[in-house]
Amino acid sequence: MRTFLLKSLVFLMLVIVIFYALDQMALNGLNKLRDDDYKDLHLLFNNEIDDEVLIVGSSRAWNHFDVSEIQKITGISTRVVGLSGADFNMQRVLWEQALNNVSDTEYIVHVVGSLEFSKRTDGVFRKYKFYPFLNNQYVQSNLSKIQPDLWKDQYLPMYKFHGYYNYFLKGLKLNFVNPSYDEYYKYKGFTGFKNIWNGTITVESKVISDDDINKGMNFIEYEAKLAAEKEKQLILVYTPEHKVTDSLINGKNKIIERLNDLALNHSNMHFLDYSKWYGNDDISLFSNATHLNVKGAKLFSQTFAKDFLEILKNN
């Protein structure tokens, strides 16, 4: 019996060692990727961003801000790091990392919208993007608020790849072949949607509770204080949404009022509100009710760039 238990223990330990080795090999491979999923995050978490302006937020960050237009008008180097489906806990990963570690960036542009004020209840969206960075303190602390059992992904070998086996195989493969760097199709974090919205409503009606609004404002209040400590300017931007969302999102006006009041109370914070942007009733500028397409992003970015220059002028 003792021999059987000993052999079982040795076998179990051998399996754990093999799983751990495979897990680390897969992570090592994913850490080499510089494609649309990983390049921007790699630059951020390795403190390799040297642009003066860093735009962070949800999907509306990476598809609303046409960096080429912004740089052409302002003459200021700009980069976008956006995460699809990012509530404030996910967004906080970005701006905490940026404010604490990206020394060359003078302006943090935080893209906010009404839907981000609701906490995700379905776990970390597209969690695989964070696999190479799970040991980062801001990743772990903030994503754990969305998914409390995130420690399993960090410490249990191979656990994280459940449901994402294609990323395990991709990471494993990259230990033996060089990654293809031509899979990055963004321009400094930006890429636009090419389709034109047909008017079909896919966004469900949403009520943003006062509790969710208060929690979101607390996030931004802390962000403003951290930015002040780091001597950086924080620019909040409520990006364009088609006017149909005015009746779909209950709490939108309250959020905008609170953001405006918050900005007035911080000398290093500015709020640009595009909820009434001139293009918000033009369906040809949208990909869906809450996202611009390429044409819309270009026009909006021209507007934003000019407003940004006014902020610089007044400062």
Side-chain angles (χ1 to χ4, degrees):
M1 183 67 177
R2 179 180 294 180
T3 302
F4 172 76
L5 290 175
L6 182 61
K7 289 182 178 179
S8 298
L9 181 60
V10 170
F11 177 76
L12 179 60
M13 292 183 66
L14 180 62
V15 170
I16 292 174
V17 169
I18 292 174
F19 272 36
Y20 180 79
L22 290 173
D23 184 272
Q24 292 302 304
M25 289 177 67
L27 289 179
N28 180 65
L30 292 179
N31 199 37
K32 296 179 180 180
L33 283 172
R34 304 293 184 270
D35 59 7
D36 281 350
D37 281 332
Y38 288 99
K39 180 175 180 178
D40 300 313
L41 290 177
H42 177 88
L43 293 173
L44 178 65
F45 289 119
N46 287 278
N47 304 319
E48 296 177 8
I49 293 177
D50 57 4
D51 297 274
E52 295 177 68
V53 177
L54 177 61
I55 301 170
V56 297
S58 64
S59 56
R60 283 181 289 279
W62 63 258
N63 63 49
H64 278 200
F65 290 81
D66 188 333
V67 173
S68 61
E69 290 296 318
I70 295 170
Q71 292 185 149
K72 181 170 64 177
I73 293 171
T74 65
I76 299 174
S77 61
T78 303
R79 177 170 285 279
V80 176
V81 180
L83 292 170
S84 295
D87 66 2
F88 276 123
N89 284 305
M90 287 182 69
Q91 292 182 27
R92 182 166 173 165
V93 171
L94 304 180
W95 55 255
E96 277 196 325
Q97 175 70 26
L99 287 171
N100 282 293
N101 296 288
V102 181
S103 59
D104 294 325
T105 298
E106 296 183 24
Y107 297 89
I108 302 292
V109 177
H110 186 178
V111 180
V112 296
S114 300
L115 297 178
E116 283 93 326
F117 280 79
S118 295
K119 179 183 176 181
R120 294 197 71 97
T121 58
D122 56 350
V124 180
F125 187 62
R126 296 181 180 174
K127 184 172 59 176
Y128 59 84
K129 291 188 176 185
F130 293 100
Y131 286 167
F133 317 110
L134 285 177
N135 289 325
N136 178 282
Q137 59 176 314
Y138 308 117
V139 171
Q140 189 60 225
S141 63
N142 289 298
L143 297 193
S144 293
K145 294 170 184 173
I146 305 174
Q147 187 172 323
D149 65 349
L150 193 71
W151 62 270
K152 296 178 182 178
D153 294 304
Q154 185 178 14
Y155 296 113
L156 299 183
M158 297 297 294
Y159 183 88
K160 65 179 68 66
F161 291 108
H162 177 70
Y164 297 104
Y165 295 118
N166 56 323
Y167 284 90
F168 167 71
L169 294 174
K170 180 186 289 189
L172 206 61
K173 178 181 177 181
L174 291 174
N175 285 272
F176 307 100
V177 298
N178 292 322
S180 174
Y181 290 107
D182 60 358
E183 294 180 1
Y184 186 77
Y185 300 107
K186 299 177 181 178
Y187 176 69
K188 300 187 74 172
F190 166 76
T191 186
F193 293 133
K194 296 181 180 179
N195 65 297
I196 296 176
W197 185 37
N198 62 9
T200 301
I201 304 297
T202 57
V203 179
E204 296 182 0
S205 296
K206 187 76 175 179
V207 176
I208 312 297
S209 69
D210 288 344
D211 184 55
D212 283 339
I213 293 175
N214 289 333
K215 289 179 180 177
M217 294 301 164
N218 289 337
F219 270 106
I220 298 172
E221 181 81 35
Y222 171 71
E223 181 184 19
K225 291 178 180 178
L226 182 59
E229 290 175 9
K230 303 299 180 179
E231 299 183 339
K232 298 182 187 294
Q233 295 290 311
L234 176 63
I235 302 173
L236 301 178
V237 180
Y238 195 102
T239 50
E241 298 168 333
H242 194 272
K243 65 178 183 180
V244 71
T245 61
D246 293 344
S247 60
L248 290 174
I249 304 175
N250 188 332
K252 180 176 179 178
N253 291 334
K254 184 179 292 187
I255 288 170
I256 292 170
E257 290 175 5
R258 292 280 301 274
L259 290 173
N260 186 63
D261 291 341
L262 200 59
L264 292 174
N265 291 324
H266 294 273
S267 60
N268 69 315
M269 183 193 292
H270 313 272
F271 178 46
L272 296 176
D273 175 19
Y274 297 104
S275 63
K276 305 299 181 184
W277 182 55
Y278 71 87
N280 282 357
D281 61 351
D282 186 348
I283 198 172
S284 72
L285 302 182
F286 284 82
S287 173
N288 55 46
T290 57
H291 294 81
L292 297 169
N293 56 29
V294 172
K295 179 182 176 182
K298 181 176 182 178
L299 293 175
F300 162 67
S301 296
Q302 292 170 352
T303 302
F304 165 77
K306 293 172 184 176
D307 291 340
F308 179 64
L309 286 176
E310 283 297 312
I311 290 176
L312 296 182
K313 180 181 176 181
N314 293 332
N315 278 353

